[in-house]
Amino acid sequence: MTRINVKVDGAMCSDDVEPRTLLVHYLREQLGKTGTVIGCDTSNCGACTVHLDGRSVKSCNVLAVQADGHEVTTIEGLATNGELHPVQKAFHECHALQCGFCTPGMIMQSVDLLNENSDPSEEEIRTGLEGNLCRCTGYHNIVKAVQQAADGAGSAAVASTSGGAS
Amino acid sequence: MIPAQFDYVAPSTVEEAVNALVEAGEDAKVLAGGQSLLPVLRMRLNVPSVVVDLCRIESLRGVRDDGDALVIGAMTTHSDVFHDPLVREHATLLTKAVEQLADPQVRHRGTFGGALAHADPAGDLGAPALALGASFVIAGSGGTRTVEADDFFEDLFTTAVQDGEILTEVRIPKYTGWGAHYEKFVRVAHQWPIVAVAAAVRVDGGTIAEARVGLTNMGSTPLRARAVESALVGQSATDEAVRGAAASAAEGTNPPSDLNGDADFRRHLATVLTRRAVLAAAGA
């Protein structure tokens, strides 16, 4: 067992893990954060995407010990004070999901994409989400949601405290 | 799926990492970004007794200017290579190749040295590194040694890096002012290329003065298309002239046949992608 200290969704966590424990298993099974899902288990689908020090990673492809001393944000840590993150809100309003399984990863990757490029073209959105698969093939509304979030972004924090677009 | 059990060490210097590898012997594995190694461990295609993680060795990260060359630390992520202004100015071909490598999440974790040392013949960095004449600095218990690109890639997933050694940095000569393009053919987004072509050219007054062309997935290692390079020199950067030179792109290659295409299809692809890559690199 190896001791790790990780900040997860704003809270400090100190746990013993086997070195072979994947970050996604640590989040789900030790911390109970089941909002992050396991889709393919082969690092293809992106459903397990979380942020590690502010950048998106596939948490099935990172060891928990590699997160030691770092900060993880999951889908469960995006909303602030019960207020959905603008990207979550846009996914809701645009009905950017069918079965919903890819949604946590899609949202985390969309937030990363908008952090890097606040005004992406449709093509840039599709390229930026190419590591996330939606097996319902519901990509169209996902792209629309990212566009809507981008239109309301620029000041994402303002949007989330003022009730957002309605 | 869960990897088999292993011991884990995360040393903070190259010397400590080399010692850990030497001590563990041939059952040790080096962990860089882990984007290729972790899937292998999860599927238990490899069951190392010890994993030596390089993530705490800060000296292995970053790009620096070293006169007529750039030095890229082995642990520099693809994302950092993509955003690096020195790479963009002096080794544009690498910027173009890493931009198309895998997907954003993988580029945030995967490393330049890790991908090259992994030496997947369908990896996106081998052909550009070979075409640019990179040299590879390798640390071992006897100190460091430098291996030139032509001698680095030995076979499928096999490089000049031996047991007990670590690739620490890659030196790329500067190609300031050259045009570059990486033309990648895939069937599915974010997958490995069926074939890809890395091209860098120096165009002088509409004529190709120098050219370097590398091929991805046309054999067990990345390959230089030397016949194309020499045929391009002195040609005008036009579709007709480049098409003629690109016709010899598959010369001396030994491409695989698999579900994505047989060897003949890949040979054909190599000529088409070479033409596109060279024309785009030349700005034509």
Side-chain angles (χ1 to χ4, degrees), chain A residues 18-20 22 25 41-44 49 52 55-58 60-63 65-66 68 109 112 116 128 130-133, chain B residues 1-6 8 31-35 38-39 42 44 53 56 79 83 102-105 107-109 189-191:
Chain A
E18 280 192 291
R20 63 174 173 166
L22 303 174
H25 289 143
D41 223 357
T42 59
S43 316
N44 270 287
T49 299
L52 183 59
R55 299 315 308 267
S56 60
V57 301
K58 293 179 176 179
C60 76
N61 221 15
V62 177
L63 296 172
V65 285
Q66 292 180 291
D68 181 30
Q109 182 53 27
D112 184 276
E116 185 152 319
E130 75 176 348
N132 292 71
L133 305 181
Chain B
M1 290 176 288
I2 303 172
Q5 282 184 329
F6 52 78
Y8 172 83
L31 173 59
Q35 302 304 288
L38 288 189
R42 278 201 316 255
R44 304 202 179 190
D53 188 353
R56 303 207 186 280
S79 174
H83 287 105
D103 56 53
Q105 293 98 315
R107 292 194 292 270
H108 290 151
R109 289 294 295 172
H190 82 73
Q191 284 295 357

Side-chain angles (χ1 to χ4, degrees), chain A residues 6-128:
Chain A
V6 192
K7 192 172 185 183
V8 182
D9 294 338
M12 276 310 303
C13 302
S14 191
D15 287 292
D16 290 325
V17 297
E18 280 192 291
R20 63 174 173 166
T21 307
L22 303 174
L23 179 59
V24 69
H25 289 143
Y26 171 66
L27 293 171
R28 288 176 57 85
E29 291 165 20
Q30 263 179 273
L31 301 184
K33 290 193 172 278
T34 51
T36 302
V37 295
I38 300 172
C40 66
D41 223 357
T42 59
S43 316
N44 270 287
C45 78
C48 66
T49 299
V50 301
H51 293 180
L52 183 59
D53 292 338
R55 299 315 308 267
S56 60
V57 301
K58 293 179 176 179
S59 61
C60 76
N61 221 15
V62 177
L63 296 172
V65 285
Q66 292 180 291
D68 181 30
H70 296 276
E71 184 168 352
V72 174
T73 306
T74 77
I75 186 74
E76 297 187 29
L78 266 194
T80 46
N81 300 324
E83 185 81 32
L84 291 182
H85 185 280
V87 175
Q88 289 175 307
K89 195 169 294 183
F91 268 63
H92 181 206
E93 287 169 2
C94 297
H95 192 67
L97 60 137
Q98 288 180 32
C99 84
F101 199 84
C102 71
T103 311
M106 282 287 182
I107 290 178
M108 296 310 286
Q109 182 53 27
S110 299
V111 172
D112 184 276
L113 163 67
L114 292 173
N115 283 343
E116 185 152 319
N117 177 0
S118 61
D119 186 25
S121 65
E122 181 184 335
E123 193 187 338
E124 285 168 336
I125 294 170
R126 290 183 185 275
T127 306

Side-chain angles (χ1 to χ4, degrees), chain B residues 170-194:
Chain B
V170 183
R171 296 176 60 86
I172 310 280
K174 286 183 182 172
Y175 291 84
T176 319
W178 287 50
H181 188 75
Y182 188 65
E183 184 75 19
K184 174 169 169 171
F185 189 83
V186 287
R187 209 165 49 83
V188 180
H190 82 73
Q191 284 295 357
W192 288 268
I194 296 170

Side-chain angles (χ1 to χ4, degrees), chain B:
Chain B
M1 290 176 288
I2 303 172
Q5 282 184 329
F6 52 78
D7 289 332
Y8 172 83
V9 286
S12 52
T13 67
V14 171
E15 196 183 350
E16 286 168 21
V18 167
N19 288 342
L21 282 175
V22 170
E23 199 177 305
E26 61 182 15
D27 281 346
K29 267 285 173 196
V30 176
L31 173 59
Q35 302 304 288
S36 296
L37 181 61
L38 288 189
V40 165
L41 297 186
R42 278 201 316 255
M43 290 184 277
R44 304 202 179 190
L45 297 173
N46 196 305
V47 186
S49 57
V50 180
V51 168
V52 179
D53 188 353
L54 306 184
C55 73
R56 303 207 186 280
I57 310 178
E58 282 307 316
S59 63
L60 295 181
R61 291 183 198 278
V63 178
R64 69 173 199 271
D65 193 324
D66 191 29
D68 55 3
L70 296 181
V71 180
I72 303 179
M75 287 293 287
T76 311
T77 64
H78 303 308
S79 174
D80 285 345
V81 170
F82 175 69
H83 287 105
D84 191 273
L86 286 171
V87 174
R88 194 162 293 227
E89 182 177 357
H90 302 295
T92 317
L93 183 55
L94 295 179
T95 309
K96 303 264 183 175
V98 290
E99 182 176 20
Q100 297 181 54
L101 188 157
D103 56 53
Q105 293 98 315
V106 169
R107 292 194 292 270
H108 290 151
R109 289 294 295 172
T111 65
F112 192 71
L116 288 166
H118 182 56
D120 187 328
D124 287 303
L125 297 182
L130 183 66
L132 296 180
S135 44
F136 297 79
V137 181
I138 299 168
S141 51
T144 62
R145 62 194 181 98
T146 301
V147 174
E148 298 306 319
D150 288 339
D151 300 319
F152 182 75
F153 300 102
E154 296 184 344
D155 203 347
L156 292 165
F157 302 103
T158 309
T159 69
V161 180
Q162 304 294 311
D163 286 344
E165 290 189 320
I166 294 168
L167 173 65
T168 56
E169 55 190 33
V170 183
R171 296 176 60 86
I172 310 280
K174 286 183 182 172
Y175 291 84
T176 319
W178 287 50
H181 188 75
Y182 188 65
E183 184 75 19
K184 174 169 169 171
F185 189 83
V186 287
R187 209 165 49 83
V188 180
H190 82 73
Q191 284 295 357
W192 288 268
I194 296 170
V195 173
V197 177
V201 297
R202 186 170 66 80
V203 179
D204 190 359
T207 300
I208 296 173
E210 291 180 86
R212 285 174 168 261
V213 180
L215 308 174
T216 304
N217 215 9
M218 285 295 288
S220 59
T221 66
L223 297 170
R224 279 281 286 276
R226 292 185 193 275
V228 176
E229 293 176 359
S230 44
L232 282 170
V233 173
Q235 299 285 342
S236 56
T238 61
D239 185 274
E240 194 187 351
V242 172
R243 187 181 293 267
S248 53
E251 219 172 79
T253 64
N254 185 21
S257 288
D258 57 29
L259 286 175
N260 287 314
D262 61 19
D264 281 341
F265 176 56
R266 283 191 162 89
R267 287 190 195 97
H268 169 71
L269 273 180
T271 62
V272 173
L273 302 179
T274 297
R275 171 172 54 82
R276 291 181 189 164
V278 170
L279 285 170

